[in-house]
Amino acid sequence: MNGIDPREEKQMRNWTHHQARINGLDMHYVEEGDGPLVVLLHGFPHTWFSWRHQISALAAAGYRVVAPDLRGMGQTDAPWSVADYRCDNIVRDICALLDHLGERQAVFSGMDFGMFVAYDIACERPERVRGLLGLQYATYSAYDRLPSEVERERGRAHFNHMSYYVENPEAARADYDAHPREIITKIFNILSADGDFSRLYAHPPGTAYRHALPKPPPLPWKWLNEWEVEAYVSDYSRSGFHGGINWYLAADINWEYRQRRGPSVSSVPLYFVASEVDVAVAEKYGEGLPAQLAQNHNDVRALRAVSGGGYLLAMERPREVNEAFIDFLRDLDRRGAGRAEPADGFSSVDAR
C-alpha cells in the first residue's frame, strides 16, 4: 500500500471527527477551521472523505468547514426504507446540522447527489443559504415523467446503470457488499477524465454494473492511491451499500415531491465551476451551462471551467477547484447577497 503523502498527513491532524444525534440519525461529520461556515456535501459512492483536498484549504483561507456523511453512507445511519431518502428529509438533516453547529447560514457545495441536496436547501430554506458553490450539475436531472419509467425504457436497448438499480436493487446491494473495493475503484475510474462512460452501453440489458465496468488500471493513479481507496472500502464495508442505492431508488418520490413543490428556482448567489468536459457535454446536448444555470438560478455570479478533469473534479483537480472556491468565497464575502450583474460566460483555468 502507498504511504500517506506527508502534506496530507499534516492536514489530517487538523481534522476533528464528530458523531452527533441529528434529525433522528447518528450523523458523522468532519470539521476544521473558524470563520463563515462552508458545508460540503458528497455523493455516491462517496463519503465526507471525497472533500479531503478542500477541507484544509478552505479552513486555511479563513472558513469553518464541515463535511458530513449524508444519510445512508459513511459513518452516518443508513435507514432501510426508500421513503426515508426523500429530499425533504435530507434537507431537514442538513438544517438540523446547522442548528447543532449553532449556525444560521452556510455556503454549500456538493458533488453528485450532494449538489442536488444543496439546490434543494436553496429552494426550500433559502434563509439558511448564504451562497452556493456549484459543481458538475447546473440543476436536477430533467425528467418529464417518473424517472423509473424513463430509465427502464433506456435500459431495454443496452445496459443502463439507472435501470440496473431500479430493476435489480437487491442484486446490486448484494454484489456491492461482496465486492466493495472492486466496485468503488471501477466507478471512480470510469467517472474520471481517464474513463469513458459510453463504453458501458456496449453491454446488453441485465448485465451487472460491476461486470459492465471496465477493469481499471492498477493503483496508484495520478489522483488516487491505495490508502485513499481503503478509506472508502472501510466505511462501506461497515455500512453496506443499501443506503447509497436507496438514493437512486428515491428518484420517483423525489420527482413527485419536487413537482408538487413547484418551480425549482433559487435566488441565492451561485458560483459555478465545471470541467471542460462538462461544458462540452452541455453545449452538445443543449444551450450550454450558462443557459442551464440561468433557468434555475436568479443570481449567477461567476462561471469557471477547469481543463484536464472529469466528473470527479474536486479529487482530480483539487488545486484548481480550491482556488476557484476561495475566489468565489472572497467575492461573496465582499459583495454579500445583493444581486450582482449576471455572468455572461466561462472563464478558464488551464490545469494541464
Side-chain angles (χ1 to χ4, degrees):
M1 177 178 293
N2 269 15
I4 298 174
D5 186 306
R7 293 168 298 178
E8 294 178 324
E9 184 179 19
K10 183 177 179 181
Q11 291 176 348
M12 290 165 61
R13 296 189 192 125
N14 297 319
W15 295 341
T16 302
H17 291 257
H18 301 271
Q19 203 80 28
R21 193 70 178 171
I22 306 290
N23 194 30
L25 299 174
D26 286 329
M27 179 182 288
H28 169 255
Y29 64 93
V30 172
E31 179 179 16
E32 183 182 351
D34 296 296
L37 179 63
V38 178
V39 176
L40 305 174
L41 306 169
H42 65 82
F44 176 76
H46 298 270
T47 66
W48 71 272
F49 190 65
S50 290
W51 295 107
R52 60 194 174 277
H53 303 298
Q54 282 70 50
I55 294 171
S56 293
L58 299 185
Y63 298 92
R64 182 186 187 187
V65 185
V66 170
D69 281 334
L70 297 180
R71 70 163 59 201
M73 292 176 276
Q75 298 174 49
T76 292
D77 283 348
W80 280 91
S81 172
V82 173
D84 288 330
Y85 294 82
R86 199 173 72 175
C87 56
D88 56 326
N89 291 322
I90 315 297
V91 168
R92 282 194 289 270
D93 289 348
I94 305 306
C95 289
L97 174 62
L98 295 193
D99 294 340
H100 172 78
L101 296 170
E103 299 276 5
R104 186 178 69 87
Q105 285 188 319
V107 174
F108 291 95
S109 187
M111 60 177 68
D112 191 68
F113 282 126
M115 201 69 246
F116 294 163
V117 175
Y119 290 157
D120 279 325
I121 299 169
C123 289
E124 294 197 16
R125 299 295 304 274
E127 76 281 4
R128 307 306 301 259
V129 183
R130 196 165 77 92
L132 293 170
L133 305 179
L135 186 67
Q136 302 169 327
Y137 286 125
T139 183
Y140 309 101
S141 299
Y143 292 103
D144 58 359
R145 52 204 163 96
L146 287 176
S148 63
E149 295 178 2
V150 175
E151 299 301 344
R152 280 193 176 99
E153 289 179 7
R154 291 173 177 171
R156 288 179 189 144
H158 51 68
F159 173 84
N160 174 278
H161 77 290
M162 294 289 288
S163 62
Y164 170 69
Y165 288 125
V166 171
E167 299 286 0
N168 305 285
E170 291 306 314
R173 180 192 61 77
D175 191 46
Y176 288 13
D177 286 352
H179 305 93
R181 189 181 308 277
E182 181 180 355
I183 194 66
I184 288 168
T185 53
K186 282 184 170 181
I187 289 176
F188 281 2
N189 175 64
I190 199 73
L191 294 177
S192 74
D194 296 325
D196 179 4
F197 203 81
S198 66
R199 291 180 60 184
L200 303 185
Y201 305 145
H203 295 272
T207 305
Y209 195 7
R210 183 170 59 88
H211 296 152
L213 289 162
K215 183 178 180 180
L219 292 163
W221 307 337
K222 290 179 292 185
W223 58 274
L224 189 73
N225 61 32
E226 287 93 340
W227 80 265
E228 291 172 312
V229 170
E230 182 62 28
Y232 295 102
V233 173
S234 176
D235 274 348
Y236 275 102
S237 295
R238 181 197 62 82
S239 68
F241 287 85
H242 70 274
I245 291 171
N246 276 352
W247 280 72
Y248 285 96
L249 300 182
D252 281 357
I253 59 176
N254 279 333
W255 184 85
E256 292 172 332
Y257 175 82
R258 290 175 181 132
Q259 290 291 112
R260 293 194 301 270
R261 186 178 68 190
S264 292
V265 179
S266 77
S267 296
V268 304
L270 171 73
Y271 300 80
F272 199 88
V273 60
S275 72
E276 288 187 345
V277 173
D278 291 330
V279 176
V281 169
E283 291 174 348
K284 180 178 180 180
Y285 294 103
E287 298 178 2
L289 276 176
Q292 290 179 18
L293 289 166
Q295 291 176 7
N296 293 89
H297 304 280
N298 291 329
D299 190 2
V300 181
R301 297 286 181 91
L303 314 176
R304 187 174 295 188
V306 174
S307 68
Y311 185 75
L312 305 177
L313 195 63
M315 293 194 284
E316 293 179 80
R317 291 290 180 266
R319 179 178 63 82
E320 291 78 13
V321 170
N322 294 347
E323 289 175 354
F325 277 10
I326 291 169
D327 287 347
F328 294 163
L329 289 166
R330 296 281 191 249
D331 186 76
L332 180 61
D333 293 343
R334 183 174 63 252
R335 288 162 37 172
R339 282 293 302 275
E341 291 299 316
D344 58 3
F346 276 93
S347 63
S348 182
V349 174
D350 190 342
R352 290 171 292 182

